[in-house]
Amino acid sequence: MAQISPDQLTVEQLNAVKQSIEEDIESLTNSIAQLRMAASRYGESKESLKAFEEKNKGEKILVPLTGSLYVPGTLSDVDHVLVDIGTGYLVQKSIKGADDYVARKMSMISGNVDTLQKELVESRKKLEAICMMLQQKVVGSAGK
Amino acid sequence: MADIMAKVKQLENEVKALRKLQAEINGHLTQKQQLTTNLNENKMVIGEIDLLESDATVFKMVGPILARETVDEAKENVKKRMDFINAELKRIDEAIATKEKTHEAQKERVMALQAALQKMGPRAG
């Protein structure tokens, strides 16, 4: 960010910059929240993979046909699952493979969250600096 | 007096045109955003497919149907999609550049009209 001397900016300009930084902060906070929700959904998937054990083979399950209609069935294949990898593609994976996939996704998300957190901290620092500059300007002009 | 009215009307029209250009540019920017998101999703899919064994089972969702594909077919299809998206992105970038130039020119026209009106203003009272 270019260093601009606070004296060069008027109160209006400082307020405009302040608003822009506040919008950035809000957008970053939203993105972080969405990423955390996605991570928790992957966590749920990881948990449900645990149900695929040899001992559950042949167990009764309820299969969703629509959002509110389920039919009874039995768990026949405990070795494979279909994983949605995006853009309409599904891949058949072993339970271990699916587990690895979920772990990969979760680690990617946590990496992104860390990056965004760093930017959030930076933006908050900038906001503080601008607020201080604004206060100085207001106090300065009131004193005259 | 009629002179000023005419100039004010002209300014209104030019400002309207300026706003229209800005809206068009924003529309292009939204499209570009969507294409970029789509491109990123496809990059992730190719990444996952690359990790697969060559005999892995891949399904493509076509409406309500799951169609079986080989790993190579899937890779080909996703690559083709990415090429298409990149071409679209290039086209949109060019459209945005052209529109921005027109927008700049229009902005100059508006500012010139505003300056002219300022000069006429005080005399007419």
Side-chain angles (χ1 to χ4, degrees):
Chain A
M1 182 172 110
Q3 284 298 2
I4 309 179
S5 151
D7 303 312
Q8 289 181 298
L9 296 176
T10 66
V11 174
E12 291 93 35
Q13 285 168 319
L14 278 174
N15 264 322
V17 175
K18 174 165 169 270
Q19 204 173 1
S20 150
I21 298 184
E22 277 170 348
E23 279 167 19
D24 283 346
I25 290 182
E26 181 159 349
S27 149
L28 281 170
T29 312
N30 279 339
S31 299
I32 291 179
Q34 282 182 322
L35 283 173
R36 288 214 168 111
M37 282 198 301
S40 100
R41 281 201 298 271
Y42 276 115
E44 285 172 11
S45 295
K46 204 173 202 303
E47 276 304 304
S48 36
L49 280 175
K50 292 194 184 147
F52 287 80
E53 291 177 330
E54 261 317 304
K55 68 172 190 186
N56 286 334
K57 198 164 186 162
E59 280 292 318
K60 291 212 181 71
I61 58 174
L62 283 174
V63 181
L65 281 187
T66 71
S68 40
L69 180 63
Y70 290 75
V71 289
T74 44
L75 191 58
S76 56
D77 184 352
V78 289
D79 302 309
H80 300 108
V81 283
L82 280 178
V83 179
D84 181 349
I85 58 174
T87 72
Y89 274 98
L90 295 103
V91 180
Q92 183 169 298
K93 286 187 186 282
S94 65
I95 305 302
K96 175 87 182 39
D99 214 49
D100 289 342
Y101 173 83
V102 171
R104 245 177 295 146
K105 289 289 180 184
M106 285 174 78
S107 109
M108 186 191 76
I109 290 183
S110 102
N112 287 341
V113 168
D114 285 341
T115 312
L116 291 185
Q117 284 279 49
K118 287 199 189 112
E119 283 186 31
L120 190 63
V121 166
E122 278 306 308
S123 290
R124 289 213 171 111
K125 282 194 199 143
K126 281 188 208 165
L127 186 65
E128 249 191 77
I130 294 266
C131 283
M132 276 186 16
M133 279 191 230
L134 257 172
Q135 269 202 330
Q136 286 172 349
K137 273 236 169 300
V138 167
V139 167
S141 61
K144 290 184 188 125
Chain B
M1 189 56 191
D3 225 7
I4 299 224
M5 295 299 287
K7 265 263 177 331
V8 169
K9 195 77 188 119
Q10 199 183 353
L11 181 65
E12 275 176 23
N13 288 337
E14 301 286 8
V15 169
K16 232 189 269 177
L18 187 70
R19 286 208 217 286
K20 185 158 166 258
L21 276 171
Q22 187 64 57
E24 282 169 13
I25 293 182
N26 287 343
H28 283 322
L29 285 173
T30 313
Q31 260 182 305
K32 183 174 166 173
Q33 177 82 299
Q34 287 168 333
L35 283 172
T36 313
T37 310
N38 207 337
L39 184 69
N40 283 333
E41 195 185 349
N42 277 291
K43 279 194 189 144
M44 308 230 47
V45 175
I46 273 243
E48 278 303 319
I49 296 185
D50 280 337
L51 292 174
L52 295 172
E53 304 280 328
S54 54
D55 64 346
T57 313
V58 182
F59 292 99
K60 182 162 82 172
M61 212 158 30
V62 186
I65 300 179
L66 285 185
R68 175 101 198 255
E69 277 190 356
T70 65
V71 173
D72 294 317
E73 281 172 346
K75 245 189 251 190
E76 264 310 300
N77 283 331
V78 180
K79 281 204 183 117
K80 273 195 213 136
R81 268 188 220 168
M82 281 173 52
D83 287 338
F84 177 75
I85 296 177
N86 278 325
E88 279 296 299
L89 270 171
K90 199 160 152 246
R91 197 182 56 85
I92 287 217
D93 275 333
E94 282 165 16
I96 291 180
T98 329
K99 280 258 151 66
E100 299 247 293
K101 274 201 205 121
T102 321
H103 184 262
E104 271 308 299
Q106 186 67 8
K107 218 162 76 170
E108 307 265 308
R109 273 225 287 282
V110 168
M111 296 208 297
L113 268 174
Q114 283 173 332
L117 261 171
Q118 291 274 44
K119 285 208 189 107
M120 298 165 88
R123 266 191 289 137

